[in-house]
Structure formats: structure tokens, C-alpha cells
Amino acid sequence: MTDPRKHDKSHPPGRRDQGGLTHLADDGSAAMVDVTSKARTSRKAVAHGFLRCSRRAFRLLVDGGNPKGDVQQVARVAGIMGGKRAGELIPLCHLLPAASVRVDVEPDASIPGLRVIATATITERTGVEMEALTAVSVALLTAYDMLKAVDRGMTIESVRLEEKSGGRSGSWRRE
């Protein structure tokens, strides 16, 4: 265990000179990034992912009749709940109060499966990328859970950040 009295205050945990990794302290241990000196700014993140399933599971998804309920609606609500709890699920992620999380869940016959897009917004000191990514992941896991009796071979694919804006690093968009 590191002696906290020996910690060099001129280099707070999570500084960027550790190869660009912000969650490493000077000694290489995991550390939460200190955001107390950062300004609150408007921030937004959009994430995307999809569930690939069999034609039979896709029909159940589109036509309804699932004994567990409406897959799209339950996945949407689960995604919103998951996005709001990202800071509780991911060890070094900050808890962000009053973050807005919108989750769009759409069947897509070309996959076949379900496409999920989550948008998280907040005015705060740190970003909302993890909230958007968690929202997509939880929505897709929920859909899998609701359809697994019909298709255990489903795959969750391409969960990724599509864009983010705000904060010191500015805007970024996937090309």
C-alpha cells in the first residue's frame, strides 16, 4: 500500500503523461481522475451497437408475442437505467447526476436484429461517453435475455462510441 503522505501533489493521480492513460497514478496503480478543477461544460456522447439474431427471433421481436413482454420497450427502459448507473458499474467512472440518457431501439431486417443508439447529455466536469456506451450495452443485453429462449446463438456486436462533444478535448466523430 502506498503511503499517502509520500504522494507528490504536483502530479495528481490520472495525469496524462502516462502514455495518454488518465486512470493511472504516478506509480502505475489505478486511480480515479480528479475533475474538481475542471469547468462544467455542456457534453454529449452518442453510442451505437446491435444484436444479430435468427430470423425466428427477429419475427418474435417485430411481431410481438414474447411472454416476457415487448422486447423493444423493455430494452429501451433498461438502457436508460443502465446509462444512469454507469458510475456504479464501472470502477473508475464518475457518478454523473442528472445526466439525460435517450435510447432508440429499432428492429433492422438487414442484420437481422436490433439496432440501439444511445445519446447521453449533461452539463458537468467530465464526459458522458461511458453513460452512452453502458446504455447501449444494457439495452442489448436485455434484448438478448428476452429472446434467448428462441435463439441462444445471438451476438452483440459493434458497441462503440460514434461521437462526443464538449469538455477540454472538444468534439470527436467516428469516420
Side-chain angles (χ1 to χ4, degrees):
M1 185 72 126
T2 306
D3 182 349
R5 294 170 294 176
K6 293 181 181 179
H7 182 69
D8 179 358
K9 300 294 183 193
S10 64
H11 298 290
R15 63 190 183 120
R16 291 191 180 270
D17 64 352
Q18 293 260 4
L21 298 175
T22 60
H23 286 86
L24 292 179
D26 290 335
D27 65 0
S29 62
M32 192 168 197
V33 175
D34 182 355
V35 297
T36 55
S37 64
K38 293 171 78 175
R40 284 185 167 89
T41 61
S42 180
R43 298 158 185 268
K44 175 182 169 184
V46 179
H48 168 268
F50 63 90
L51 175 80
R52 185 180 307 275
C53 63
S54 67
R55 293 269 175 215
R56 181 174 173 224
F58 182 73
R59 289 282 20 118
L60 185 63
L61 172 68
V62 173
D63 295 342
N66 188 327
K68 290 187 174 185
D70 184 330
V71 175
Q72 294 173 63
Q73 293 304 318
V74 175
R76 177 178 290 110
V77 171
I80 292 167
M81 290 174 66
K84 290 174 18 180
R85 301 193 77 158
E88 295 173 30
L89 299 170
I90 301 166
L92 301 177
C93 181
H94 290 87
L95 289 170
L96 297 179
S100 170
V101 180
R102 188 183 87 221
V103 177
D104 297 311
V105 178
E106 297 293 331
D108 186 335
S110 70
I111 297 174
L114 197 63
R115 189 171 303 280
V116 175
I117 299 172
T119 304
T121 57
I122 196 167
T123 299
E124 200 39 83
R125 291 181 169 130
T126 189
V128 290
E129 294 96 323
M130 298 312 298
E131 285 70 17
L133 287 162
T134 302
V136 168
S137 299
V138 171
L140 291 169
L141 286 166
T142 299
Y144 183 99
D145 180 53
M146 293 184 75
L147 293 168
K148 71 184 179 209
V150 174
D151 181 6
R152 293 195 187 274
M154 294 176 288
T155 58
I156 292 173
E157 301 179 25
S158 298
V159 175
R160 62 187 188 223
L161 184 68
E162 293 294 338
E163 64 181 86
K164 61 85 58 189
S165 62
R168 184 174 57 208
S169 64
S171 296
W172 177 87
R173 182 182 293 264
R174 182 174 299 281
E175 292 181 17

